[in-house]
Structures are given as structure tokens and as C-alpha cells.
């Protein structure tokens, strides 16, 4: 079993300067940030999107269950969650998950010592269509046309109400990462690079953070910036909203294909994580591999032979693979019992520098 004790020092022992963008961040939020930073360069936590909500064989809402735990005996260390369509005032997400279950899951994950990260595939407030609605100029309209500014803030009110409902048994806010407007260097979402200028993207981010923080008084959130694959650091940072608005720098980069594209994926992700690690150390902001995966895991040793060498080179604080939908067996990124990658996943987990919840527990709290 991998243990943090195997490292030169445990993450909590390391004194790391934390640079949280919110001067009023709660102590738990500052601590989460410091902990993430202390992992960078030394260990990588493993995360799975929607881990605790449902799994590949169709199970849904089973207390204490996750596909990862079914395979290796431990939950992932990092739990991903998705709030898309909360902005419409619905009680279920675009992935047919009740927000009440997400709230319960976040609070339960925090209680177990896990780390929570939230994504938001928001509908387009201008057109009312999905996150994938390629409507040029939507951000411009949100920023400069009152009708849409109002609509956007109404969306944010739903996000704010949800965030403000995240309290533990002591009544303290549960610190979370929030990762809006991700993969913006591509152009598949309405906030993509073909549909707005760099300044418009940054301004949308600023207004979002200012609203949640300033107007709604939310101080238990770390904001994560997560471009998709890019060729240069300049492109990565072109739309960076600034140190006062970002706490964590991320990367979304998938392995599309199988064996034939493995070395290309490893080289690309490795190169981007390289410059992120340098920047992370310079600015005291943790870097994370916020989304990745090989759809259907069609390489038996993907975890140890492809993913591990990528993360072991720089050690982002965590790597998160995407979801195992309960309603689509053709589409999954995490292991589940019976899949041919299980043995390899267990070897991956057993690496000294890979951390799941069982190794995190008792170290963070
Ligand atoms: C995408 C896909 C979609 C899903 C969305 C939000 O990448 O998995 O099916 O709706 O994430 O979770």
C-alpha cells in the first residue's frame, strides 16, 4: 500500500506559503489551499468525477459506494461534482443527479477528509440553450446588455445559494474548489475562445467572482482555472483572470484514442504540466490535472503505463478522471469491478506517490 510516510516528509509537515485570492477566505479554505500546494511536486491525489453518486453498472445513490472503492477498497481522495442546470432553478442536474444528493455528498466527502471540486456546464443565459451552444457574442451580451447581465446574475444566485448551503455538522462552511468556464481555450462551449475576446473572458470571470464573493459573501471557495490542451504557456495564460481571481491552475487534457496516441498524449500533457509546475511554484498556487481520462479504458495498463509517468514527473496535487455514467455503458473513464484495467488500477494506487482517500484520512485533519 502506498503511504505518505514513504515520502521525505508528509504534506502537512511541510510549511508552504499559501496565496489565496480572497483576503477574507475562511481558515478551512486557506488550509485546503495550503494542503494542495504542499502536495504539488511530491504526491498526486487521485480523483473521480461524480464518484459517490453513481457508477458504470447502473447503480445510483448508494451510501458509501463508489466504483473506485468497489475496485480497490478506497474512495478516491478527490471527489468531482457537477452543477450544470442548477442555474435554471431545477432540482436535478443535466446528468440527472439531484442537487440535494450533491450537497449531501460534498458534506460527507469533506467529513471523510476528502477534497471537493465542482464544475459547471452552465446553460447559455443568452440563448437558453446548453453549455455546448456555440453562440458568438454571448459573453459580450452578458457583460454589456442589461437584460442578459440580470439573467446571468440570476444564474449565479442559484450557484451562490447552493454554495452557501454547504455546511458541516458544526455549522462551518465546507471549503470547495469551483472550476467555472473550463476548457475555454477550445471552442465547444459558449465561453470558448472563438466566441469572446480574452478581455471579455477575463471580465466574465471577474464579475462572477466579485458577485459570489462581494455580493453574496462567499468565502469558502477556491477558484480553479482550467484550459484545455494548448501549445504554449502564452496561450495557456492568455485568458488568465489574474492572481486576485484564481487560486488553482488546472489542465483538462484527455487521451483520445488508444495505444497509437498514447505517446502523443503523454508528451502533450507532460509538457503542459511541466510549465504549470514552474508557474505554480513561482506564484504559490497549486497546479492540478483537473480532467483527463481514456474513454472506455481500452488499454489494460493505462493507469500505470500512461497516466502514472505523466503525473509522476511533476506531481500535480491531483489528477481527476471523468465520470462513469450510470446510463451509458459505452462511456466511462474510471475503473469498475470486472473491467480488465482493475489489476493495473490497484498497482497505480499502490505507488508511493499516488494518494487515495484511505491514505489521506488522518493526514489532513
Ligand atoms: C461531459 C459529458 C456530459 C456531461 C457533462 C457534465 O463531459 O460527460 O455527458 O453532461 O460532462 O457532467
Amino acid at each position: 500500500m502506498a503511504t505518505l510516510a514513504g515520502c521525505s516528509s508528509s504534506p502537512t509537515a511541510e510549511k508552504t506559503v499559501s496565496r489565496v485570492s480572497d483576503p477574507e477566505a475562511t481558515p478551512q479554505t486557506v488550509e485546503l489551499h495550503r494542503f494542495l500546494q504542499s502536495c504539488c511536486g511530491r504526491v498526486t491525489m487521485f480523483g473521480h468525477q461524480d464518484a459517490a453518486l453513481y457508477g458504470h453498472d447502473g447503480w445510483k445513490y448508494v451510501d458509501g459506494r463508489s466504483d473506485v472503492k468497489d475496485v480497490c477498497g478506497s474512495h478516491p481522495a478527490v471527489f468531482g461534482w457537477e452543477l450544470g442546470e442548477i442555474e435554471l432553478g431545477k432540482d436535478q442536474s443535466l446528468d440527472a443527479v439531484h442537487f440535494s444528493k450533491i450537497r449531501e455528498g460534498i458534506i460527507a466527502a469533506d467529513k471523510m477528509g476528502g477534497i471537493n471540486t465542482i464544475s459547471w456546464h452552465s446553460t447559455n443565459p443568452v440563448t437558453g440553450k446548453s453549455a455546448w451552444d456555440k453562440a458568438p457574442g454571448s459573453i459580450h451580451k452578458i457583460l454589456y446588455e442589461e437584460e442578459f447581465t440580470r439573467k446571468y446574475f440570476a444564474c449565479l444566485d442559484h450557484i451562490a445559494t447552493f454554495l452557501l448551503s454547504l455546511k458541516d455538522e458544526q455549522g462551518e462552511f465546507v471549503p470547495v474548489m469551483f472550476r467555472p468556464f473550463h476548457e475555454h481555450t477550445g471552442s465547444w462551449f459558449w465561453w470558448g475562445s472563438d466566441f469572446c475576446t480574452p478581455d471579455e473572458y477575463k471580465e466574465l470571470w471577474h464579475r462572477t467572482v466579485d458577485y459570489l464573493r462581494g455580493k453574496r459573501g462567499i468565502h469558502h471557495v477556491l477558484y480553479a482555472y482550467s484550459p484545455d490542451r494548448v501549445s504554449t504557456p502564452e496561450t495557456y495564460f492568455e485568458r488568465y483572470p489574474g492572481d486576485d481571481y484564481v487560486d488553482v491552475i488546472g489542465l483538462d487534457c484527455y487521451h483520445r484514442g488508444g495505444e497509437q496516441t498514447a505517446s502523443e498524449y503523454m508528451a502533450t500533457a507532460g509538457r503542459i504540466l511541466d510549465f504549470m509546475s514552474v508557474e505554480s511554484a513561482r506564484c504559490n498556487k497549486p497546479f492540478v490535472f483537473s480532467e483527463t481520462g481514456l474513454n472506455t479504458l481500452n488499454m489494460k495498463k493505462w493507469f500505470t503505463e500512461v497516466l502514472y509517468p505523466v503525473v509522476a514527473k511533476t506531481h500535480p496535487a491531483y489528477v481527476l478522471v471523468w465520470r462513469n455514467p450510470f446510463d451509458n455503458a459505452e462511456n466511462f473513464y474510471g475503473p469498475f469491478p470486472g473491467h480488465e484495467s482493475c489489476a493495473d488500477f490497484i498497482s497505480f494506487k499502490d505507488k508511493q506517490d499516488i494518494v487515495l482517500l484511505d491514505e489521506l484520512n488522518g493526514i489532513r485533519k
Side-chain angles (χ1 to χ4, degrees):
M1 166 180 295
T3 59
L4 284 170
C7 302
S8 52
S9 57
S10 80
T12 41
E14 186 91 339
K15 282 280 162 273
T16 326
V17 182
S18 177
R19 169 77 175 79
V20 180
S21 66
D22 182 354
E24 293 178 60
T26 65
Q28 294 87 342
T29 310
V30 174
E31 170 54 24
L32 171 61
H33 192 259
R34 191 206 59 75
F35 176 72
L36 291 169
Q37 184 74 52
S38 76
C39 292
C40 292
R42 299 189 309 133
V43 293
T44 296
M45 295 181 279
F46 179 75
H48 191 201
Q49 182 71 6
D50 281 357
L53 292 167
Y54 53 75
H56 174 78
D57 76 4
W59 69 267
K60 193 175 174 187
Y61 301 158
V62 180
D63 265 358
R65 187 166 182 189
S66 67
D67 277 356
V68 168
K69 188 173 176 193
D70 282 353
V71 167
C72 73
S74 170
H75 283 307
V78 177
F79 294 78
W81 312 93
E82 165 62 38
L83 291 185
E85 296 196 1
I86 201 168
E87 68 282 354
L88 302 178
K90 292 189 174 177
D91 64 353
Q92 286 191 38
S93 75
L94 78 169
D95 300 323
V97 176
H98 288 83
F99 295 113
S100 58
K101 290 288 178 189
I102 299 180
R103 176 184 306 109
E104 277 169 30
I106 291 175
I107 295 168
D110 180 74
K111 191 175 174 189
M112 293 188 287
I115 309 257
N116 289 299
T117 176
I118 299 175
S119 53
W120 184 31
H121 289 72
S122 173
T123 49
N124 183 334
V126 174
T127 62
K129 294 185 185 161
S130 81
W132 292 268
D133 175 32
K134 299 179 179 65
S138 298
I139 294 190
H140 187 88
K141 288 195 169 109
I142 291 169
L143 295 175
Y144 304 112
E145 294 183 24
E146 210 190 315
E147 177 194 351
F148 299 114
T149 308
R150 239 184 300 110
K151 278 194 174 149
Y152 180 60
F153 287 145
C155 292
L156 282 185
D157 278 328
H158 288 289
I159 292 281
T161 302
F162 180 84
L163 292 172
L164 290 167
S165 74
L166 300 176
K167 286 192 175 172
D168 66 17
E169 283 163 359
Q170 286 72 45
E172 302 278 349
F173 286 116
V174 170
V176 292
M177 269 171 273
F178 182 46
R179 200 168 61 82
F181 309 128
H182 63 302
E183 301 174 8
H184 61 282
T185 47
S187 295
W188 41 89
F189 299 126
W190 55 263
W191 55 85
S193 61
D194 283 352
F195 313 131
C196 61
T197 65
D199 283 344
E200 285 168 354
Y201 179 84
K202 291 185 212 174
E203 184 61 19
L204 179 69
W205 189 290
H206 293 169
R207 291 219 211 163
T208 302
V209 175
D210 287 342
Y211 191 80
L212 294 175
R213 193 181 275 175
K215 272 268 184 323
R216 297 297 310 262
I218 293 169
H219 300 293
H220 56 291
V221 170
L222 296 176
Y223 292 91
Y225 171 77
S226 51
D228 201 78
R229 55 171 69 197
V230 288
S231 334
T232 62
E234 289 70 35
T235 320
Y236 180 96
F237 286 108
E238 188 189 25
R239 290 163 189 248
Y240 181 69
D243 287 350
D244 292 340
Y245 288 90
V246 174
D247 299 297
V248 174
I249 57 174
L251 168 67
D252 287 14
C253 179
Y254 283 82
H255 177 179
R256 302 206 188 278
E259 207 140 358
Q260 306 85 320
T261 51
S263 49
E264 187 272 331
Y265 162 78
M266 291 168 79
T268 303
R271 178 179 47 74
I272 301 170
L273 289 167
D274 265 348
F275 68 69
M276 288 168 65
S277 77
V278 171
E279 204 52 37
S280 158
R282 199 190 57 74
C283 66
N284 281 318
K285 292 188 187 284
F287 73 110
V288 301
F289 200 173
S290 37
E291 275 187 46
T292 192
L294 170 67
N295 195 7
T296 73
L297 286 167
N298 58 6
M299 281 181 74
K300 208 172 166 181
K301 294 201 169 174
W302 187 75
F303 286 104
T304 57
E305 292 185 356
V306 179
L307 185 61
Y308 180 70
V310 171
V311 297
K313 188 156 169 260
T314 48
H315 289 121
Y318 72 78
V319 58
L320 180 140
V321 298
W322 206 241
R323 64 199 194 103
N324 286 1
F326 59 89
D327 54 357
N328 181 354
E330 307 304 306
N331 181 264
F332 58 84
Y333 295 88
F336 55 84
H339 188 268
E340 61 171 15
S341 68
C342 286
D344 186 61
F345 181 75
I346 292 168
S347 305
F348 172 76
K349 175 195 188 294
D350 284 349
K351 304 272 185 198
Q352 275 215 323
D353 45 354
I354 298 297
V355 177
L356 272 70
L357 186 69
D358 58 349
E359 294 145 345
L360 194 56
N361 224 350
I363 292 173
R364 284 193 67 212
K365 290 194 173 174

